[in-house]
Amino acid sequence: MTEFEEIYSEYFKDVYRYVLCLSKNESIAEDITQETFFKALKNIDGFKGNCKMSVWLCQIAKNSYFSYLKKKQNNFESVEDIADVSDSGFEQILVDDESVFEIHKILHNLEEPYKEVFTLRFLEIYHFQR
């Protein structure tokens, strides 16, 4: 098994759960997780070891997810597209996305090891509640 295959095997579930927590959608989580590992493979030489591998991968995943959201938002080009979304569902999506972004901002400002402990603890709680 190559080094990257070991990384993939060891961290896939953690990255997937993290993206699932952000997106609340299994299909999106799968796509973003695959994209994350593709980007990681292309940029593995850029990993300096300043943080844990899981933190680096989750950072890539988070950035990929926010890029996905930005692209998705730009796809709402016509009024008909917006009208297809139910009002209550759309409001909930906005609240959820805003909450995730606020949590991300708070987490981003935490110092290590608190940032990692909180993130891992949150993922564990979320995983067991589902």
Side-chain angles (χ1 to χ4, degrees), residues 13-122:
K13 287 181 183 177
D14 294 334
V15 173
Y16 173 79
R17 282 190 298 233
Y18 176 71
V19 179
L20 183 60
C21 181
L22 290 175
S23 69
K24 297 174 181 56
N25 181 301
E26 291 178 1
S27 178
I28 292 170
E30 289 172 10
D31 291 345
I32 299 295
T33 302
Q34 291 300 327
E35 182 178 338
T36 297
F37 281 97
F38 178 72
K39 288 179 179 179
L41 178 61
K42 284 180 22 180
N43 298 300
I44 194 71
D45 294 335
F47 179 65
K48 308 266 190 268
N50 297 337
C51 62
K52 291 189 174 189
M53 178 64 69
S54 59
V55 173
W56 183 65
L57 291 168
C58 285
Q59 183 70 27
I60 295 170
K62 179 196 62 146
N63 291 337
S64 296
Y65 177 65
F66 287 142
S67 294
Y68 164 81
L69 289 179
K70 192 177 283 188
K71 182 191 262 186
K72 184 178 172 185
Q73 183 180 16
N74 290 335
N75 286 338
F76 280 114
E77 296 177 14
S78 67
V79 175
E80 292 82 23
D81 289 339
I82 295 171
D84 288 341
V85 178
S86 70
D87 290 337
S88 61
F90 185 67
E91 287 175 9
Q92 188 60 45
I93 289 168
L94 290 177
V95 169
D96 290 345
D97 287 346
E98 188 173 315
S99 298
V100 167
F101 185 69
E102 288 301 316
I103 291 170
H104 165 70
K105 285 192 320 191
I106 292 168
L107 271 175
H108 183 71
N109 292 325
L110 284 175
E111 293 181 15
E112 293 293 346
Y114 307 108
K115 183 188 302 186
E116 183 175 358
V117 169
F118 181 82
T119 302
L120 292 174
R121 182 69 177 142
F122 178 76

